[in-house]
């Protein structure tokens, strides 16, 4: 947090991190594996000699799995980690839950950050 590359970081208290909830990572990883497996099947339809019905079934399964991965990502990444600092004291971390809704974790984090710091703070992209 102190450096950006080799130079010292300015506005260290403007960083925000979105982190996953450990208990949800296993289902996210499992569904990601399922998605990659279906993607491999769809990509190799000729080599696997699939008929039209099997190709359609694989494509539908890939689409369902893709949607499920999106949902699992939104569920898993539910913690916003924000540094706080009183005066010249060292930085401390604050964890806030940002679950709920169908929005991406980035949008939810930005909204939560704005409510925590309503005086016009901006999330620094560095």
């Amino acid at each position: 947090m102190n450096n950006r590359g080799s130079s010292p970081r300015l506005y260290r208290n403007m960083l925000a991190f979105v982190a996953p909830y450990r208990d949800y990572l296993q289902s996210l990883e499992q569904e990601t594996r399922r998605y990659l497996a279906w993607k491999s099947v769809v990509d190799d339809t000729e080599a696997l000699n699939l008929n039209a019905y099997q190709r359609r079934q694989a494509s539908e399964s890939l689409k369902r799995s893709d949607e499920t991965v999106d949902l699992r990502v939104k569920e898993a990444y539910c913690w916003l980690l924000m540094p706080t600092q009183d005066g010249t004291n060292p930085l401390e971390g604050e964890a806030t839950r940002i679950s709920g809704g169908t929005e991406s974790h980035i949008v939810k984090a930005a909204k939560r950050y704005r409510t925590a710091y309503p005086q016009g703070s901006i999330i620094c992209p560095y």
Side-chain angles (χ1 to χ4, degrees), residues 17-100:
F17 303 93
V18 178
Y21 185 51
R22 182 182 354 195
D23 293 348
Y24 296 156
L25 283 180
Q26 183 177 2
S27 64
L28 173 59
E29 289 174 3
Q30 180 180 359
E31 193 58 43
T32 301
R33 286 186 186 100
R34 183 175 290 122
Y35 168 81
L36 292 172
W38 281 118
K39 182 162 178 21
S40 175
V41 169
V42 168
D43 290 346
D44 296 336
T45 54
E46 293 298 321
L48 295 170
N49 196 26
L50 300 180
N51 62 33
Y53 173 75
Q54 291 169 326
R55 284 192 300 266
R56 187 172 58 251
Q57 185 179 25
S59 294
E60 290 171 2
S61 295
L62 176 65
K63 182 181 175 195
R64 274 194 313 273
S65 187
D66 183 40
E67 292 168 356
T68 305
V69 167
D70 286 343
L71 289 173
R72 296 284 188 268
V73 167
K74 290 174 185 173
E75 289 174 353
Y77 284 83
C78 62
W79 288 104
L80 174 61
L81 308 175
M82 299 180 291
T84 59
Q85 186 175 29
D86 290 328
T88 58
N89 292 337
L91 285 176
E92 295 179 5
E94 176 184 329
T96 306
R97 191 149 171 105
I98 56 168
S99 61

Side-chain angles (χ1 to χ4, degrees), residues 93-109:
E94 176 184 329
T96 306
R97 191 149 171 105
I98 56 168
S99 61
T102 58
E103 299 172 318
S104 77
H105 53 283
I106 303 299
V107 172
K108 292 187 292 188

